[in-house]
Amino acid sequence: MPDRFMNGVVQPLFVLMWSSAFIVGIIGVGAAPPMVVLLGRYAIAGPLLLLYGLAVRAVWPRGRQLRHVMIAGLLMQIVQFGAFYTAMGEHVSAAVISLMQGLNPVVIALFSGVLGEHVSKRQWLGFGIGGVGVAFAVSDQSNFSWLGLLLCVIGLLGLSLGTVYQKKFTPTVDSRAATAVHQLVSAPFAGLLVLVSGDFHISDPGRFGIALTWMVLINSMGAFLLLNAMLRRWDATRVGRLFFATPVTTAVLAWLFIAQPLHPLTIAGLAVGVLGMILAARKAPAPRPEPIVAVPEPVRA
């Protein structure tokens, strides 16, 4: 694809697709219990991604590597989305959840010691600023829920720990195969959570079906394909910058499609939070090598 099309169409389309996940999540949770939404998403997306991986001849993990992929998948899918979807059921706004998810690079920086990386003062500053942004956005919610906020933190930790685990133990696994395994292994766990909750009632089958179709085709499939297309063309840092636009985009989409208000503190929190994300995502500059000073040999008589 030409660069003009990638820059002008693919990048904004990816941001819209990624941001829409929070909107359809709230629509889905409004029509069915959070764990039923989760089960439906993985039960459909998993086999479809498996077929896609087989069609493109993805390299599938085996043995110990497969176990590591499964653990990362459960952290990133069950813990993250299980907590986020339940937070949606607690009426946490799409903007706040998107901003919390966007702080993933900040939390990863805190765990950077596990990966042998250095956290710069700028990244610590970004962490603090990002936290202030979340506080602003959360404090502006009319139906504030401490449980909802705790669930957002759990979801963020699931995503960040899963990302760190994946980077440490499965850095070379084919991303197409890994994504399919993540969804497939999460489906039975989501089913178990549905049984434990004992809530199977779908109050609005039509809205549930529409939300589920969007989640599977647009969020699990379409956004994934675009992300891989961009990663094949550009480095991860350039692609990662697109996620800075998702909290604001999500807030605007939520205002347009599900009537979630944009109050001044919410807007301020989003602006401050995105600034923290940008600062925390910037790597510390590599230290300059010490200049080598040539020592003259002594003059021989």
Side-chain angles (χ1 to χ4, degrees), residues 14-198:
F14 172 76
V15 172
L16 285 172
M17 283 183 169
W18 193 271
S19 301
S20 71
F22 302 97
I23 312 304
V24 295
I26 288 176
I27 294 172
V29 168
M35 295 304 106
V36 173
V37 176
L38 207 65
L39 173 60
R41 175 175 178 171
Y42 297 145
I44 299 173
L48 289 177
L49 286 166
L50 172 63
L51 292 174
Y52 169 74
L54 293 173
V56 298
R57 297 183 179 181
V59 180
W60 298 91
R62 298 176 183 274
R64 181 180 297 179
Q65 194 177 56
L66 176 60
R67 290 194 292 272
H68 287 315
V69 172
M70 293 169 68
I71 292 171
L74 291 174
L75 287 169
M76 298 171 73
Q77 300 295 331
I78 292 295
V79 177
Q80 178 195 185
F81 286 111
F84 281 153
Y85 281 13
T86 308
M88 292 174 185
E90 291 292 317
H91 307 291
V92 179
S93 73
V96 169
I97 294 175
S98 175
L99 183 57
M100 289 292 289
Q101 191 193 62
L103 291 174
N104 178 43
V106 180
V107 181
I108 288 176
L110 298 180
F111 289 115
S112 61
V114 178
L115 302 175
E117 298 176 2
H118 172 68
V119 183
S120 68
K121 292 181 180 179
R122 180 181 294 160
Q123 287 176 308
W124 282 110
L125 177 62
F127 171 72
I129 292 175
V132 170
V134 171
F136 278 171
V138 168
S139 66
D140 201 31
Q141 305 302 304
S142 58
N143 47 359
F144 175 77
S145 165
W146 282 108
L147 176 59
L149 180 59
L150 175 61
L151 287 165
C152 286
V153 173
I154 293 172
L156 173 60
L157 288 175
L159 172 61
S160 302
L161 288 172
T163 303
V164 171
Y165 189 95
Q166 181 171 264
K167 187 174 180 181
K168 183 174 180 61
F169 293 105
T170 63
T172 60
V173 172
D174 190 317
S175 62
R176 299 165 297 183
T179 304
V181 171
H182 288 179
Q183 306 267 341
L184 289 167
V185 74
S186 297
F189 280 88
L192 180 61
L193 290 174
V194 171
L195 291 175
V196 170
S197 69

